[in-house]
Amino acid sequence: MSPLLVVGLCAGWAEQAAADTVWLNNGDRLTGTVRYLSDGKLAIETAYAGTVTLDWNVVSTLASNNPVNVENKKTGEHYQVRLSSSDPGYVWVERNEREEKVSVKRIDEFMKAKVRTDQLSWTGNIDAGMKVKKASTKTDDYSFSLNTKLAQGKWRHDIGATYNREQENEDVNTDNYSLRYAFDYLFREQFFWQTRATYKRDWVEDLSRQALIGTGPGYQLWDNELGAFSVSILGGAFGYGYSDGREEDHFGASVRWSYQRYLLGKSVMLYSNGDVGHSLDDDGVFTLDAEVGLRYTLTSWSTLHLGYHRNLVSGTPDTLNEGTFSTGLGVKW
């Protein structure tokens, strides 16, 4: 198994797993469930101390009582193997009744794969920012965002809301909110069907209302301890309203993405979400609604975020092109 020079490991799908074991260079031993190895940090979830994070260079060997999936990053191939402890600095990798002694230094990354169950999973975060400046002018700047996801079995629900307001003296420069709801049904391991609806309301821009409803297939590139990445193609309708009372509707299609990746031992998360759409009529309406940012973990429940959001609508009577930077504190669960 010489291709195992660079590998990534994903824990198997067995639910009733015996404890994994990690031996350290100083002779200590930890038992529990190994969650991930990333950026030189190994995390093991224990019953007596919660999740413990270790430097990978202090690990002597480890063992898992369940099969794991091994990826060869050079060829993209996947193998199902079994890991068992060996001499200090090595681990036994068993595949097809063949065993090879592999140095732990040749292992870059591994993680426990998510297991779909009928148990409800609820995750999310709330970010808030506020800036009040008093000088020759008084400026008030507020931002708020809610993102939450619920998963149970083959169903996933994504709910979100934002609010932004900026006022300078008596002049309101920004005043808007948005709502979204989407649900996915996973009909195969990585394939799902998504239905999504969004609504935006703005009291400053001439394009004062935006609505989108769409449905279509999606593909989950990965979903594990260190993040997730999915892409979906939706067909549906765009609706727009203007400050003078005009309204218009278009049939169209959009490509939606959702990306999250943990870095530096899960202390930092890089995220990007958005969609690109185009009408299917002669008007040629183009839309871009995307965000990108970093979220830094301060404690087990608090975060600091820095993000940028871009909202672009062209091909309509009133073009919208706005970008918003945001920073502030948040909570997660």
Side-chain angles (χ1 to χ4, degrees), residues 155-264:
W155 292 94
R156 301 186 302 193
H157 303 266
D158 179 14
I159 303 169
T162 67
Y163 177 71
N164 298 281
R165 181 180 174 87
E166 181 184 347
Q167 181 173 345
E168 186 175 351
N169 289 337
E170 301 301 322
D171 297 326
V172 178
N173 300 320
T174 302
D175 192 6
N176 59 60
Y177 73 85
S178 69
L179 302 170
R180 77 169 189 274
Y181 172 65
F183 65 88
D184 303 341
Y185 178 76
L186 286 79
F187 55 87
R188 291 188 61 184
E189 187 58 44
Q190 292 177 295
F191 295 90
F192 60 90
W193 192 271
Q194 182 175 99
T195 299
R196 170 176 294 270
T198 63
Y199 179 78
K200 299 179 183 180
R201 182 71 168 92
D202 197 302
W203 285 276
V204 176
E205 301 290 340
D206 291 332
L207 182 56
S208 59
R209 294 182 302 280
Q210 301 178 57
L212 165 67
I213 185 168
T215 185
Y219 183 76
Q220 186 79 50
L221 285 83
W222 68 78
D223 186 6
N224 52 47
E225 287 287 330
L226 295 180
F229 184 25
S230 65
V231 179
S232 54
I233 301 175
L234 308 180
F238 307 147
Y240 301 103
Y242 301 91
S243 56
D244 59 6
R246 290 173 296 143
E247 295 184 354
E248 59 177 279
D249 299 300
H250 304 270
F251 288 105
S254 63
V255 176
R256 172 78 187 179
W257 72 89
S258 178
Y259 174 89
Q260 301 90 38
R261 179 66 165 89
Y262 283 102
L263 306 169
L264 303 179

Side-chain angles (χ1 to χ4, degrees), residues 262-277:
Y262 283 102
L263 306 169
L264 303 179
K266 254 188 171 181
S267 62
V268 177
M269 184 179 76
L270 171 66
Y271 65 89
S272 177
N273 304 286
D275 57 71
V276 176

Side-chain angles (χ1 to χ4, degrees), residues 110-126:
F110 65 86
M111 63 204 72
K112 183 177 177 60
K114 290 187 177 180
V115 180
R116 288 199 305 271
T117 69
D118 290 332
Q119 216 171 15
L120 179 65
S121 170
W122 182 29
T123 60
N125 64 273
I126 296 175

Side-chain angles (χ1 to χ4, degrees), residues 1-8 70-74 79 100 102-109:
M1 290 182 62
S2 58
L4 289 174
L5 289 175
V6 184
V7 296
V70 178
E71 177 188 0
N72 185 323
K73 292 185 176 179
K74 289 185 177 180
Y79 311 102
E100 180 183 1
V102 177
S103 170
V104 296
K105 295 181 180 179
R106 293 162 60 188
I107 301 175
D108 289 334
E109 182 176 286

